[in-house]
Amino acid sequence: MLTEKRYGMILELLEKKRTITVTELTELLHASESTIRRDLNALDQAGKLVKVFGGAIAVDLPFHPEEPSVAQKMELMQEEKKRIAGYAANLIKPDDFIYLDAGTTTGFMIDFIVGKNVTIVTNAVDHARRLAAAGMRVLLIGGELKGTTEAVVGNHAILSLQDYHFSKGFFGTNGISKKEGLTTPDYNEAMVKKTAVNSCRERYVLCDSAKFGNISSVTFAPLNAVKIITDKVPAGTFAENRNIIVAF
């Protein structure tokens, strides 16, 4: 396929999807990963798209590519996160088989979970340590440890999660958009989240109100696939969404 034709197809796909990954493009265009990456670099330099880790996004999206550290996130909206975490923990019933995603708001759930007769699987090393220290039954997913979020990611983590069937899952997110759904900056972490979401019967995303309208690099779930627990619903496009729960 000619380079200019590939450029046109990439931009056409991006206009429809708004975000796209290198993996998707290699499959759709039947091109090598190195070719797609060169194409994205060229189109980014030309101002036609924004190249991000693992793919690209449309130039007009409100994009947040940086992944704050756990320490940085811990300083933000603590009271709101604790309220959300307490509400989420009350949804857990005896004998539930739980997936607990990495993240600061999911981490705040731990103090409310302790004492419940449940089994918890997590990809967060600190979550696992705290749960085990409290005497809970906890399984830690194996794989590559990501430094900034302290989350375990990679193919081994994905393959492990595919064998589980969780009664409930609780997830963090970096952004929520009506069109782009639930997003996170890192492709590898997004794939772990996506696999875990698909393994849960009930899926909850814990999200403070500051994240509404934000978009990160990679979508891991559409908006209608989960229930969102938040501190308040911003006015506008999210106001009538019945899958949004406000924690009191």
Side-chain angles (χ1 to χ4, degrees), residues 6-209:
R6 269 199 323 275
Y7 287 177
M9 293 179 71
I10 290 171
L11 294 174
E12 184 178 340
L13 286 165
L14 196 56
E15 185 177 354
K16 293 177 181 177
K17 295 172 65 67
R18 311 302 289 159
T19 66
I20 198 161
T21 66
V22 171
T23 301
E24 288 175 312
L25 288 170
T26 57
E27 293 174 353
L28 291 169
L29 302 184
H30 306 290
S32 69
E33 184 175 311
S34 59
T35 296
I36 294 299
R37 290 189 186 280
R38 283 197 299 271
D39 290 348
L40 294 183
N41 281 331
L43 290 168
D44 179 76
Q45 291 172 6
K48 300 293 186 180
L49 53 74
V50 178
K51 186 176 180 293
V52 298
F53 183 85
I57 67 167
V59 292
D60 57 342
L61 288 182
F63 174 54
H64 298 264
E66 299 299 325
E67 177 73 80
S69 68
V70 172
Q72 289 171 324
K73 291 179 182 178
M74 283 293 291
E75 299 299 319
L76 302 173
M77 302 186 74
Q78 282 196 19
E79 292 307 312
E80 291 85 352
K81 289 178 178 179
K82 289 176 182 178
R83 190 163 78 244
I84 292 165
Y87 186 100
N90 283 332
L91 298 172
I92 297 175
K93 305 301 180 186
D95 301 317
D96 266 344
F97 185 40
I98 301 296
Y99 180 76
L100 189 65
D101 186 29
T104 52
T105 312
T106 53
F108 281 125
M109 286 182 66
I110 293 173
D111 289 337
F112 300 99
I113 294 173
V114 170
K116 293 178 180 283
N117 182 32
V118 294
T119 298
I120 297 173
V121 177
T122 184
N123 72 324
V125 174
D126 188 62
H127 290 8
R129 179 189 60 78
R130 291 172 57 201
L131 288 162
M136 302 288 289
R137 185 166 187 262
V138 57
L139 304 175
L140 177 63
I141 295 294
E144 177 186 352
L145 181 62
K146 182 182 171 187
T148 52
T149 59
E150 301 177 10
V152 176
V153 299
N155 289 336
H156 186 71
I158 291 170
L159 290 172
S160 299
L161 286 168
Q162 288 174 345
D163 293 331
Y164 287 118
H165 305 282
F166 303 107
S167 54
K168 295 182 179 76
F170 299 90
F171 299 87
T173 188
N174 290 74
I176 293 184
S177 164
K178 190 171 184 181
K179 187 171 184 179
E180 281 72 31
L182 305 160
T183 57
T184 195
D186 184 85
Y187 177 80
N188 291 322
E189 191 160 357
M191 293 305 101
V192 171
K193 288 176 182 285
K194 183 176 183 178
T195 305
V197 166
N198 291 336
S199 298
C200 295
R201 188 165 65 242
E202 297 178 32
R203 305 96 171 245
Y204 299 93
V205 170
L206 282 56
C207 170
D208 60 75
S209 54

